[in-house]
Amino acid sequence: MSDTYRLATWKDAETLLDLITRAYESIRALDIAFTATEADLGMIQDNLTQHTCYVLEQNGSLVATISLKTLEEVTEYPFLYWFAVDPARANRGIGSKLLRYVEETVVRDTLQAPAVTLATSRKHPWLLSMYERRGYVPFYERELGHDDTLVFLKKQLVGTGFTIRGAE
């Protein structure tokens, strides 16, 4: 199986919308107020213009995506969001491959950031524990929707000599 990691382009917008719509169906069913659950083509195009969106292709098919931006009101470290894997290919390690690529190759090696951040719903039945198993540590929370909490997590990527603000 041939894996290709690359930046998404405008040509990918409709495919990304389809992927995100299908991947976030279970999130919508849980009534979690992630922005991605309401994504439309304009939002996808705005994301491609204003931020950095990575995709993983396998044998020419787009199977996963994750975006990267700054979120200065919460953290000085790069922030990952709109992480989606084709539900027809779930539980095959595809998401782990893309996440590891962005954490290591993009954030640590290219951006030279000592840590990376992301956020998830406290209400989701398994996402928080999954990220914690991957080395992410909660550092901040805020309201999400009317009955949920958005948990921000950090993962240290470079040596133990760095102090991650908020994780002391």
Side-chain angles (χ1 to χ4, degrees), residues 15-116:
T15 304
L16 283 168
L17 176 59
D18 176 64
L19 173 65
I20 288 171
T21 300
R22 289 182 297 110
Y24 278 81
E25 180 59 38
S26 64
I27 303 292
R28 276 189 297 284
L30 291 168
D31 195 30
I32 295 173
F34 286 161
T35 305
T37 64
E38 303 299 323
D40 60 26
L41 189 57
M43 292 169 69
I44 299 293
Q45 291 169 334
D46 287 347
N47 184 54
L48 290 170
T49 301
Q50 298 170 15
H51 306 294
T52 309
C53 178
Y54 294 90
V55 296
L56 171 56
E57 287 181 331
Q58 290 185 334
N59 299 321
S61 294
L62 198 149
V63 296
T65 183
I66 194 166
S67 291
L68 178 67
K69 68 179 178 179
T70 59
L71 196 62
E72 293 174 354
E73 67 272 18
V74 176
T75 180
E76 65 187 281
Y77 302 112
F79 180 77
L80 302 174
Y81 66 105
W82 282 19
F83 185 21
V85 176
D86 181 346
R89 299 175 191 214
N91 302 314
R92 298 184 192 174
I94 292 168
S96 292
K97 285 182 180 182
L98 181 58
L99 184 58
R100 185 172 31 261
Y101 171 81
V102 173
E103 288 170 347
E104 296 174 1
T105 303
V106 176
V107 175
R108 184 193 67 200
D109 298 345
T110 303
L111 299 177
Q112 298 185 343
V116 65

Side-chain angles (χ1 to χ4, degrees), residues 147-159:
D147 66 343
D148 197 2
T149 303
L150 189 61
V151 180
F152 289 83
L153 301 106
K154 293 181 187 178
K155 181 176 182 179
Q156 187 165 337
L157 302 174
V158 179

